[in-house]
């Protein structure tokens, strides 16, 4: 069981949870998508990591932040870039806006460091694909022949390293058939969430994805275990230290994540039948 997109620094008891997930055989990609998360995720025990700048904070980052980001990526040669991308709900979304500039800068980092790229998109998937092509990511020499038929060995070892072919990872995929066809020649990975099966155009596109290009995720973060009676301030920091920790034990969180992951995989399995 491998969760291809998890936000452990935003969840209750992050250190104890990481140990419990490891003990339960629950592998994951630890996503650190804001500067305050990078150090926390970098210090975690053995796991796959991704460091990036989410579009929700794109308008707030500085050149110094990009310098730190590159430092974390170079310090962990097995890490990926992201999550990063475009989101129409946040400032700077427009064409040639700050979100696009911040995304392109991270695409170029992933290209130059030969890393996988965890992509967030709420809005225009076509624009994301166009920007990847503009930045020549992945490099044409790497993308050649990756039409979706590439063979991969093990979900837990699929993150890009300096020695592997870098690939775009469409996190919580919500695109249509045209995006699948456009992205497969790039060797794209499509990380499916339960929400991926709710949109008609995405549901119709999923069967076009070769099985070896599919992953599953929970995208669990500070909102996952919030209730009407227990919500967070919205800065992403409350989850680790807030009241939610009093409502759920580590064991309950592990069980919930397992159930969520299995439910998503079941949706995929049923779609194939």
């Amino acid at each position: 069981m491998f969760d291809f997109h998890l936000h452990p620094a935003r969840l209750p008891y992050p250190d104890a949870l990481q140990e419990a997930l490891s003990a339960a055989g629950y592998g994951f990609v630890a996503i650190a998508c804001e500067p305050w998360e990078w150090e926390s995720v970098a210090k975690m025990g053995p796991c796959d990591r991704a460091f990036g700048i989410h579009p929700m904070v794109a308008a707030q980052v500085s050149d110094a932040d990009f310098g730190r980001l590159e430092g974390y990526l170079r310090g962990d040669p097995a890490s990926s870039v992201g999550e990063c991308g475009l989101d129409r709900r946040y400032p700077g979304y427009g064409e040639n806006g700050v979100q696009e500039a911040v995304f392109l800068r991270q695409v170029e980092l992933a290209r130059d460091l030969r890393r996988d790229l965890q992509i967030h998109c709420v809005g225009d998937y076509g624009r994301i694909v166009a920007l990847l092509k503009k930045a020549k990511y992945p490099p044409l020499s790497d993308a050649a022949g990756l039409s979706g038929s590439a063979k991969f060995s093990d979900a837990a070892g699929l993150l890009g390293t300096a020695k592997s072919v870098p690939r775009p990872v469409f996190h919580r995929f919500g695109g249509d058939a045209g995006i699948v066809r456009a992205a497969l020649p790039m060797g794209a990975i499509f990380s499916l969430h339960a929400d991926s099966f709710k949109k008609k155009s995405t549901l119709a596109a999923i069967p076009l994805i070769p099985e070896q290009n599919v992953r599953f995720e929970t995208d669990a973060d500070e909102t996952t275990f919030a209730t009407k009676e227990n919500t967070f301030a919205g800065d992403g920091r409350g989850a680790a230290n807030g009241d939610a920790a009093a409502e759920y034990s580590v064991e309950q969180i592990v069980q919930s994540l397992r159930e969520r992951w299995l439910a998503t995989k079941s949706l995929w399995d049923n779609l194939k039948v």
Side-chain angles (χ1 to χ4, degrees):
M1 187 175 294
F2 192 87
D3 190 335
F4 221 65
H5 197 101
L6 181 71
H7 296 271
R10 295 173 175 264
L11 291 172
Y13 321 107
D15 295 333
L17 179 61
Q18 198 260 347
E19 292 180 7
L21 289 171
S22 179
Y26 189 96
F28 58 90
V29 183
I31 305 292
C33 61
E34 288 192 57
W36 69 264
E37 295 174 272
W38 296 340
E39 184 175 3
S40 175
V41 167
K43 289 181 177 179
M44 287 184 175
C47 66
D48 290 309
R49 299 171 174 83
F51 301 97
I53 298 170
H54 193 284
M56 66 183 171
V57 295
Q60 303 168 26
V61 297
S62 64
D63 284 340
D65 290 322
F66 271 102
R68 290 180 56 223
L69 173 60
E70 184 170 352
Y72 280 107
L73 290 166
R74 289 188 180 278
D76 184 351
S79 62
S80 293
V81 178
E83 78 190 85
C84 57
L86 303 175
D87 194 317
R88 64 189 176 200
R89 300 170 297 179
Y90 300 109
Y93 171 71
E95 190 171 352
N96 298 318
V98 66
Q99 285 193 31
E100 189 170 299
V102 169
F103 175 56
L104 273 172
R105 196 162 173 179
Q106 292 177 88
V107 175
E108 291 165 354
L109 258 180
R111 179 198 64 204
D112 295 344
L113 296 177
R114 300 179 59 78
R115 308 294 178 87
D116 280 2
L117 183 71
Q118 287 260 358
I119 298 170
H120 171 105
C121 184
V122 176
D124 190 347
Y125 273 90
R127 193 162 140 219
I128 288 281
V129 171
L131 291 171
L132 293 175
K133 291 179 178 178
K134 178 180 179 180
K136 296 181 172 58
Y137 178 89
L140 293 177
S141 60
D142 289 332
L146 291 180
S147 61
S149 61
K151 300 298 183 182
F152 300 112
S153 59
D154 170 35
L158 289 174
L159 288 189
T161 71
K163 297 181 180 179
S164 69
V165 176
R167 299 155 306 170
V169 177
F170 288 90
H171 140 65
R172 201 166 182 155
F173 180 61
D176 60 18
I179 298 303
V180 171
R181 295 189 184 99
L184 278 177
M186 301 176 180
I189 297 298
F190 299 85
S191 186
L192 304 181
H193 180 275
D195 285 352
S196 302
F197 297 83
K198 294 179 180 180
K199 187 178 176 182
K200 287 184 179 179
S201 59
T202 305
L203 189 62
I206 289 173
L208 302 177
I209 306 172
E211 186 168 0
Q212 62 266 22
N213 293 69
V214 172
R215 307 290 182 269
F216 306 105
E217 65 173 77
T218 64
D219 193 21
D221 62 10
E222 68 270 27
T223 66
T224 304
F225 298 97
T227 66
K228 290 181 179 179
E229 295 75 26
N230 176 19
T231 55
F232 300 107
D235 64 357
R237 299 168 188 264
N241 303 307
D243 293 338
E247 292 194 20
Y248 300 92
S249 68
V250 171
E251 291 75 17
Q252 287 174 319
I253 295 171
V254 171
Q255 182 60 27
S256 176
L257 292 175
R258 290 176 60 89
E259 290 172 357
R260 290 166 186 267
W261 189 94
L262 288 169
T264 300
K265 185 177 184 301
S266 178
L267 291 169
W268 159 261
D269 290 337
N270 291 337
L271 195 62
K272 290 192 301 177
V273 174

